[in-house]
Amino acid sequence: MNTFHRGRRLRSRSVLRDMVRESRLGREDLIQPYFVVEADPDFKKPIGSMPGQFQLGLNQLLNEVGPAVDAGLKSLILFGIPVEKDPAGTQAYAEDGIVQEAIRRIKSRWPELIVVADTCLCEYTSHGHCGLVSPEGVVQNDPTLALLARTAVAQAQAGADIIAPSDMMDGRVAAIREALDEKGFLDTPIMSYAVKYSSAFYGPFRDAAESAPKFGDRKTYQMDPANWREGLREAAADVEEGADILMVKPGLPYLDIIRLVRDNFDLPVAAYQVSGEYSQIKAAAMNGWIDETAVALESLIAFKRAGADLILSYFTQDLLKAGHI
């Protein structure tokens, strides 16, 4: 009599494999990032370090979003690139700022589409840091909070469905929550970049968003990649301050952190498959070394297996259009 485990019994046919699949990926799980520029509305420029992604003027943004919505896109996140930058990042919270205008146009065309607004100053500051900088070159935490709160309110007033602070200033979730509530946006959720590491995987994004720091780095406010207990402290702080969704960024190199956050907090968990992760897959596929679609799908299911409810991924739009999700 055979006494060994026969796991292949449930792998013999595709229908059986589908029946017992433990992790599933749906359209509602995915969020497509877009880079919108305050230039010619018909501007469209390929991002060299992110093949298949573009900087888009307002008209071109709508041209991209439309077919994606038709293919099943449920949610997107916007990153803005203004014409003028200054030390205080004033275009981040200007009523006519590029992201605010993009939100209004998208929501007027597709009111049911969930629009997430990235809330940060780095794309809008002339020095490229995520907060105000002192004359000595130190990123100032507390004075930055008021500007982040103003940005969140401006985005909510424009129609953003979710506010997503990515700056990693201490106390920003509480400041944003208080500001939103005071302006009547009690039901606008905050998806906090709660556990955001100072990662080398962000390089292509900084090309795309034109947000690289002009001096120094972001290690004084983004986390050390070697730390996991610190990540739990950061997530706990954001929960206490009023976050509704907790994000881990980057994604695949930090699957262990996603699992820790999932196991320790009873909130939805998001994961960001960042630009470096995307570009590595694209580059290998362009060289014929891997099957791009298969690897992209496998990487996304890894997030679900680790415990993520939501995934920000640059593959979203193309996978939807191709009918893979």
Short mmCIF file of all heavy atoms in Angstrom, two decimals, residues 101-135:
data_model
loop_
_atom_site.label_atom_id
_atom_site.label_comp_id
_atom_site.label_asym_id
_atom_site.label_seq_id
_atom_site.Cartn_x
_atom_site.Cartn_y
_atom_site.Cartn_z
N GLU A 101 -6.23 69.09 -11.63
CA GLU A 101 -6.93 69.22 -12.91
C GLU A 101 -7.16 67.84 -13.54
O GLU A 101 -8.23 67.57 -14.11
CB GLU A 101 -6.14 70.11 -13.86
CG GLU A 101 -6.83 70.38 -15.19
CD GLU A 101 -8.19 71.03 -15.06
OE1 GLU A 101 -8.42 71.77 -14.08
OE2 GLU A 101 -9.05 70.80 -15.94
N ALA A 102 -6.18 66.96 -13.45
CA ALA A 102 -6.33 65.61 -13.99
C ALA A 102 -7.45 64.86 -13.27
O ALA A 102 -8.25 64.16 -13.90
CB ALA A 102 -5.02 64.85 -13.87
N ILE A 103 -7.52 65.01 -11.95
CA ILE A 103 -8.59 64.35 -11.19
C ILE A 103 -9.94 64.83 -11.68
O ILE A 103 -10.86 64.02 -11.92
CB ILE A 103 -8.43 64.64 -9.68
CG1 ILE A 103 -7.17 63.98 -9.13
CG2 ILE A 103 -9.66 64.15 -8.91
CD1 ILE A 103 -6.80 64.45 -7.74
N ARG A 104 -10.11 66.14 -11.82
CA ARG A 104 -11.40 66.67 -12.25
C ARG A 104 -11.81 66.12 -13.61
O ARG A 104 -12.96 65.74 -13.83
CB ARG A 104 -11.34 68.21 -12.28
CG ARG A 104 -11.46 68.85 -10.90
CD ARG A 104 -11.61 70.36 -11.01
NE ARG A 104 -10.34 71.00 -11.30
CZ ARG A 104 -9.51 71.47 -10.35
NH1 ARG A 104 -9.82 71.38 -9.10
NH2 ARG A 104 -8.37 72.05 -10.71
N ARG A 105 -10.86 66.07 -14.53
CA ARG A 105 -11.20 65.59 -15.88
C ARG A 105 -11.55 64.10 -15.87
O ARG A 105 -12.49 63.67 -16.54
CB ARG A 105 -10.04 65.87 -16.83
CG ARG A 105 -9.80 67.35 -17.05
CD ARG A 105 -9.01 67.60 -18.30
NE ARG A 105 -8.69 69.01 -18.47
CZ ARG A 105 -8.22 69.53 -19.59
NH1 ARG A 105 -8.02 68.76 -20.66
NH2 ARG A 105 -7.93 70.81 -19.66
N ILE A 106 -10.78 63.33 -15.13
CA ILE A 106 -11.05 61.88 -15.09
C ILE A 106 -12.40 61.61 -14.43
O ILE A 106 -13.21 60.82 -14.94
CB ILE A 106 -9.92 61.15 -14.35
CG1 ILE A 106 -8.64 61.17 -15.19
CG2 ILE A 106 -10.33 59.70 -14.04
CD1 ILE A 106 -7.42 60.68 -14.45
N LYS A 107 -12.67 62.25 -13.30
CA LYS A 107 -13.91 61.99 -12.58
C LYS A 107 -15.13 62.48 -13.35
O LYS A 107 -16.22 61.89 -13.23
CB LYS A 107 -13.86 62.63 -11.20
CG LYS A 107 -12.83 62.02 -10.25
CD LYS A 107 -13.08 60.53 -10.00
CE LYS A 107 -14.31 60.27 -9.18
NZ LYS A 107 -14.45 58.83 -8.84
N SER A 108 -14.97 63.52 -14.16
CA SER A 108 -16.11 63.98 -14.96
C SER A 108 -16.43 63.00 -16.07
O SER A 108 -17.58 62.87 -16.50
CB SER A 108 -15.81 65.37 -15.55
OG SER A 108 -14.77 65.31 -16.51
N ARG A 109 -15.42 62.29 -16.54
CA ARG A 109 -15.60 61.32 -17.64
C ARG A 109 -15.99 59.94 -17.11
O ARG A 109 -16.85 59.27 -17.69
CB ARG A 109 -14.31 61.23 -18.44
CG ARG A 109 -14.36 60.35 -19.69
CD ARG A 109 -14.97 61.06 -20.86
NE ARG A 109 -14.18 62.21 -21.25
CZ ARG A 109 -13.19 62.17 -22.15
NH1 ARG A 109 -12.86 61.02 -22.73
NH2 ARG A 109 -12.55 63.28 -22.48
N TRP A 110 -15.34 59.51 -16.01
CA TRP A 110 -15.57 58.17 -15.46
C TRP A 110 -15.81 58.29 -13.95
O TRP A 110 -14.91 58.02 -13.14
CB TRP A 110 -14.37 57.26 -15.72
CG TRP A 110 -14.07 57.10 -17.17
CD1 TRP A 110 -14.72 56.33 -18.08
CD2 TRP A 110 -12.99 57.73 -17.90
NE1 TRP A 110 -14.14 56.44 -19.32
CE2 TRP A 110 -13.07 57.30 -19.23
CE3 TRP A 110 -11.98 58.63 -17.54
CZ2 TRP A 110 -12.18 57.72 -20.22
CZ3 TRP A 110 -11.08 59.07 -18.50
CH2 TRP A 110 -11.19 58.62 -19.83
N PRO A 111 -16.99 58.71 -13.54
CA PRO A 111 -17.24 58.97 -12.11
C PRO A 111 -17.08 57.75 -11.22
O PRO A 111 -16.80 57.90 -10.03
CB PRO A 111 -18.68 59.50 -12.09
CG PRO A 111 -19.28 59.07 -13.39
CD PRO A 111 -18.17 59.03 -14.37
N GLU A 112 -17.24 56.55 -11.75
CA GLU A 112 -17.13 55.35 -10.93
C GLU A 112 -15.70 54.84 -10.80
O GLU A 112 -15.42 53.97 -9.98
CB GLU A 112 -18.00 54.23 -11.52
CG GLU A 112 -19.49 54.55 -11.52
CD GLU A 112 -19.99 54.90 -10.13
OE1 GLU A 112 -19.67 54.15 -9.19
OE2 GLU A 112 -20.70 55.91 -9.99
N LEU A 113 -14.78 55.39 -11.60
CA LEU A 113 -13.38 54.98 -11.52
C LEU A 113 -12.77 55.52 -10.23
O LEU A 113 -12.94 56.69 -9.89
CB LEU A 113 -12.62 55.53 -12.73
CG LEU A 113 -11.15 55.13 -12.88
CD1 LEU A 113 -11.00 53.65 -13.11
CD2 LEU A 113 -10.52 55.92 -14.05
N ILE A 114 -12.07 54.66 -9.48
CA ILE A 114 -11.43 55.08 -8.25
C ILE A 114 -10.11 55.78 -8.58
O ILE A 114 -9.22 55.19 -9.19
CB ILE A 114 -11.17 53.89 -7.31
CG1 ILE A 114 -12.49 53.25 -6.88
CG2 ILE A 114 -10.37 54.34 -6.08
CD1 ILE A 114 -13.39 54.16 -6.07
N VAL A 115 -10.02 57.05 -8.19
CA VAL A 115 -8.83 57.85 -8.45
C VAL A 115 -8.08 58.06 -7.14
O VAL A 115 -8.62 58.65 -6.20
CB VAL A 115 -9.17 59.20 -9.10
CG1 VAL A 115 -7.91 60.04 -9.28
CG2 VAL A 115 -9.85 58.98 -10.44
N VAL A 116 -6.86 57.56 -7.09
CA VAL A 116 -5.98 57.74 -5.93
C VAL A 116 -5.02 58.87 -6.24
O VAL A 116 -4.46 58.94 -7.34
CB VAL A 116 -5.20 56.44 -5.64
CG1 VAL A 116 -4.34 56.62 -4.38
CG2 VAL A 116 -6.13 55.26 -5.51
N ALA A 117 -4.84 59.77 -5.28
CA ALA A 117 -3.91 60.88 -5.46
C ALA A 117 -2.67 60.65 -4.60
O ALA A 117 -2.78 60.54 -3.38
CB ALA A 117 -4.57 62.20 -5.07
N ASP A 118 -1.51 60.54 -5.25
CA ASP A 118 -0.27 60.49 -4.49
C ASP A 118 -0.06 61.85 -3.85
O ASP A 118 -0.12 62.88 -4.52
CB ASP A 118 0.90 60.16 -5.42
CG ASP A 118 2.22 60.15 -4.67
OD1 ASP A 118 2.49 59.16 -3.98
OD2 ASP A 118 2.96 61.14 -4.79
N THR A 119 0.18 61.84 -2.53
CA THR A 119 0.30 63.09 -1.78
C THR A 119 1.72 63.23 -1.28
O THR A 119 2.12 62.57 -0.32
CB THR A 119 -0.70 63.09 -0.61
OG1 THR A 119 -2.02 62.84 -1.12
CG2 THR A 119 -0.69 64.43 0.12
N CYS A 120 2.48 64.06 -1.99
CA CYS A 120 3.89 64.27 -1.64
C CYS A 120 4.33 65.57 -2.28
O CYS A 120 3.62 66.12 -3.14
CB CYS A 120 4.74 63.10 -2.13
SG CYS A 120 6.41 63.08 -1.42
N LEU A 121 5.50 66.06 -1.91
CA LEU A 121 6.01 67.32 -2.46
C LEU A 121 7.17 67.12 -3.41
O LEU A 121 7.56 68.06 -4.11
CB LEU A 121 6.45 68.24 -1.32
CG LEU A 121 5.41 68.63 -0.28
CD1 LEU A 121 6.01 69.62 0.73
CD2 LEU A 121 4.16 69.22 -0.92
N CYS A 122 7.76 65.92 -3.47
CA CYS A 122 9.03 65.75 -4.18
C CYS A 122 8.95 66.09 -5.66
O CYS A 122 9.92 66.58 -6.23
CB CYS A 122 9.58 64.34 -3.97
SG CYS A 122 8.56 63.03 -4.66
N GLU A 123 7.80 65.84 -6.28
CA GLU A 123 7.67 66.14 -7.71
C GLU A 123 7.53 67.64 -7.97
O GLU A 123 7.65 68.09 -9.11
CB GLU A 123 6.46 65.41 -8.30
CG GLU A 123 6.57 63.90 -8.24
CD GLU A 123 5.29 63.26 -7.73
OE1 GLU A 123 4.23 63.49 -8.34
OE2 GLU A 123 5.35 62.55 -6.72
N TYR A 124 7.27 68.41 -6.91
CA TYR A 124 6.93 69.82 -7.05
C TYR A 124 8.00 70.75 -6.48
O TYR A 124 7.96 71.95 -6.73
CB TYR A 124 5.60 70.11 -6.36
CG TYR A 124 4.49 69.20 -6.83
CD1 TYR A 124 4.24 67.98 -6.20
CD2 TYR A 124 3.72 69.54 -7.94
CE1 TYR A 124 3.23 67.15 -6.66
CE2 TYR A 124 2.70 68.70 -8.39
CZ TYR A 124 2.47 67.50 -7.75
OH TYR A 124 1.48 66.67 -8.20
N THR A 125 8.94 70.20 -5.71
CA THR A 125 9.97 71.04 -5.11
C THR A 125 11.19 71.16 -6.02
O THR A 125 11.56 70.21 -6.71
CB THR A 125 10.43 70.47 -3.75
OG1 THR A 125 10.87 69.11 -3.92
CG2 THR A 125 9.30 70.52 -2.73
N SER A 126 11.79 72.33 -6.01
CA SER A 126 12.97 72.56 -6.85
C SER A 126 14.18 71.77 -6.37
O SER A 126 15.09 71.48 -7.16
CB SER A 126 13.31 74.06 -6.88
OG SER A 126 13.39 74.58 -5.55
N HIS A 127 14.18 71.38 -5.10
CA HIS A 127 15.30 70.60 -4.56
C HIS A 127 15.05 69.09 -4.62
O HIS A 127 15.94 68.30 -4.39
CB HIS A 127 15.58 71.00 -3.11
CG HIS A 127 14.36 71.10 -2.24
ND1 HIS A 127 13.65 70.00 -1.84
CD2 HIS A 127 13.72 72.18 -1.74
CE1 HIS A 127 12.63 70.40 -1.10
NE2 HIS A 127 12.64 71.71 -1.03
N GLY A 128 13.81 68.66 -4.92
CA GLY A 128 13.51 67.25 -5.11
C GLY A 128 13.27 66.45 -3.85
O GLY A 128 13.06 65.24 -3.93
N HIS A 129 13.25 67.09 -2.70
CA HIS A 129 12.95 66.37 -1.47
C HIS A 129 11.45 66.40 -1.17
O HIS A 129 10.71 67.22 -1.73
CB HIS A 129 13.76 66.93 -0.30
CG HIS A 129 15.16 66.41 -0.26
ND1 HIS A 129 15.47 65.13 0.15
CD2 HIS A 129 16.34 67.00 -0.63
CE1 HIS A 129 16.78 64.95 0.07
NE2 HIS A 129 17.33 66.06 -0.41
N CYS A 130 11.03 65.53 -0.28
CA CYS A 130 9.61 65.33 -0.01
C CYS A 130 9.05 66.30 1.03
O CYS A 130 7.89 66.19 1.43
CB CYS A 130 9.35 63.90 0.46
SG CYS A 130 9.86 62.66 -0.75
N GLY A 131 9.87 67.24 1.50
CA GLY A 131 9.44 68.21 2.48
C GLY A 131 10.24 69.49 2.36
O GLY A 131 11.14 69.61 1.53
N LEU A 132 9.89 70.44 3.20
CA LEU A 132 10.63 71.69 3.25
C LEU A 132 12.07 71.42 3.72
O LEU A 132 12.30 70.53 4.53
CB LEU A 132 9.95 72.66 4.20
CG LEU A 132 8.56 73.14 3.78
CD1 LEU A 132 7.93 73.95 4.90
CD2 LEU A 132 8.62 73.96 2.49
N VAL A 133 12.99 72.21 3.22
CA VAL A 133 14.40 72.03 3.55
C VAL A 133 14.93 73.28 4.22
O VAL A 133 14.69 74.41 3.76
CB VAL A 133 15.22 71.71 2.27
CG1 VAL A 133 16.70 71.64 2.58
CG2 VAL A 133 14.75 70.40 1.66
N SER A 134 15.64 73.11 5.32
CA SER A 134 16.23 74.23 6.05
C SER A 134 17.42 74.79 5.29
O SER A 134 17.96 74.14 4.38
CB SER A 134 16.67 73.77 7.44
OG SER A 134 17.84 72.97 7.34
N PRO A 135 17.88 76.00 5.66
CA PRO A 135 19.08 76.56 5.01
C PRO A 135 20.30 75.64 5.13
O PRO A 135 21.20 75.69 4.29
CB PRO A 135 19.30 77.87 5.76
CG PRO A 135 17.94 78.26 6.23
CD PRO A 135 17.27 76.96 6.59
#
